Amino acid sequence: MRQWSLLARMRLSVADLLVGLLSVHGPPIGSRQCAAWLLLVGFMLDLADGAVARQLNVCSALGAKLDDFADFTSFGLATALLLHTSSPLDALLVIVYILAVFTRLCFYSSGIPFMYRGLPCPYASAILACASLLAGSNKVVLRSIAIIMALFMIDQGVYPHDKILESQLWKKMVFAGGVVMMFCSFSPLACLYYLVWSMSYILFPEALWSFKL
């Protein structure tokens, strides 16, 4: 039974990884918008993955490594490529953003129960993906947000574990709303939904998103 539970958790991590790889490679129609939406799908998968691992009690070392690899691919490499153009400045920003994600994943364990140190990279990715969808070709906005998100990720600020599917009912409803919004892809309203959700985690981490039953 435990093996089946571990397999279920690994499938979510692998799905997150595949979404990131597809975003890196480029969707079939070659649209940056599709790449951004794939990152939002990865954001939802990452939240579900953590909840499944804890509920099935399959938080293994292998699962944690696979989850980190999927996070680095989706929320590091794939997200940074939203910034990529022929400009040397953007190429440098891509490298800086990837290094910020790498630093956040490798070195920022908090030592505090139920807390992260540094902004979790899925939220930074979701905000950057929403900015890409809403701002379109406005490179100044996209670059500015990427720099801000990189600074948040390497900052020593403390953020609560986002056990959204294991907490109050309204948080589960927020997740359910995110699932519904997946069917409204390319809608500005859906982008705003994910943007407000992610920004609220940064602006009101303890007041809204601390783990409560």
Side-chain angles (χ1 to χ4, degrees), residues 8 33 37 39 52 60 66 72 93 107 111 115 120 139 149-150 175 186 193 206:
Q33 283 189 317
W37 274 107
L39 293 174
V52 167
S60 65
L66 181 58
F72 182 72
L93 185 54
F107 302 115
M115 302 299 285
K139 295 296 180 183
M149 291 301 102
F175 184 89
F186 304 103
Y193 185 89
E206 286 296 323

Side-chain angles (χ1 to χ4, degrees), residues 35-206:
W37 274 107
L38 284 169
L39 293 174
L40 292 175
V41 171
F43 170 71
M44 297 292 290
L45 288 172
D46 184 73
L47 291 173
D49 179 34
V52 167
R54 288 184 291 270
Q55 288 296 313
L56 299 179
N57 194 26
V58 288
C59 299
S60 65
L62 174 60
K65 289 179 181 178
L66 181 58
D67 185 56
D68 281 347
F69 186 66
D71 284 353
F72 182 72
T73 302
S74 295
F75 309 128
L77 294 174
T79 303
L81 289 178
L82 291 176
L83 307 166
H84 182 63
T85 65
S86 57
S87 165
L89 180 62
D90 284 335
L92 178 61
L93 185 54
V94 165
I95 294 171
V96 168
Y97 190 89
I98 291 172
L99 288 175
V101 172
F102 179 80
T103 301
R104 169 63 185 77
L105 289 172
C106 291
F107 302 115
Y108 277 46
S109 58
S110 68
I112 306 171
F114 308 114
M115 302 299 285
Y116 299 113
R117 218 175 258 291
L119 177 66
C121 50
Y123 285 93
S125 173
I127 289 173
L128 200 55
C130 290
S132 179
L133 289 165
L134 294 171
S137 59
N138 192 326
K139 295 296 180 183
V140 175
V141 171
L142 206 56
R143 290 167 183 163
S144 300
I145 292 175
I147 292 170
I148 293 170
M149 291 301 102
L151 291 173
F152 270 113
M153 284 188 285
I154 63 174
D155 180 53
Q156 291 284 329
V158 177
Y159 294 86
H161 272 245
D162 48 346
K163 297 182 179 180
I164 188 169
L165 291 175
E166 304 155 82
S167 192
Q168 298 110 307
L169 178 60
W170 73 265
K171 294 181 184 177
K172 297 174 184 177
M173 295 301 293
V174 169
F175 184 89
V179 174
V180 171
M181 287 298 170
M182 283 297 156
F183 297 96
C184 305
S185 296
F186 304 103
S187 164
L189 179 61
C191 294
L192 287 173
Y193 185 89
Y194 288 107
L195 185 60
V196 171
W197 177 0
S198 302
M199 287 298 299
S200 71
Y201 181 80
I202 296 176
L203 297 175
F204 311 105
E206 286 296 323

Side-chain angles (χ1 to χ4, degrees), residues 11-29:
R11 283 178 175 172
L12 283 174
S13 294
V14 170
D16 187 7
L17 175 62
L18 291 176
V19 165
L21 289 173
L22 182 58
S23 181
V24 169
H25 182 269
I29 63 172

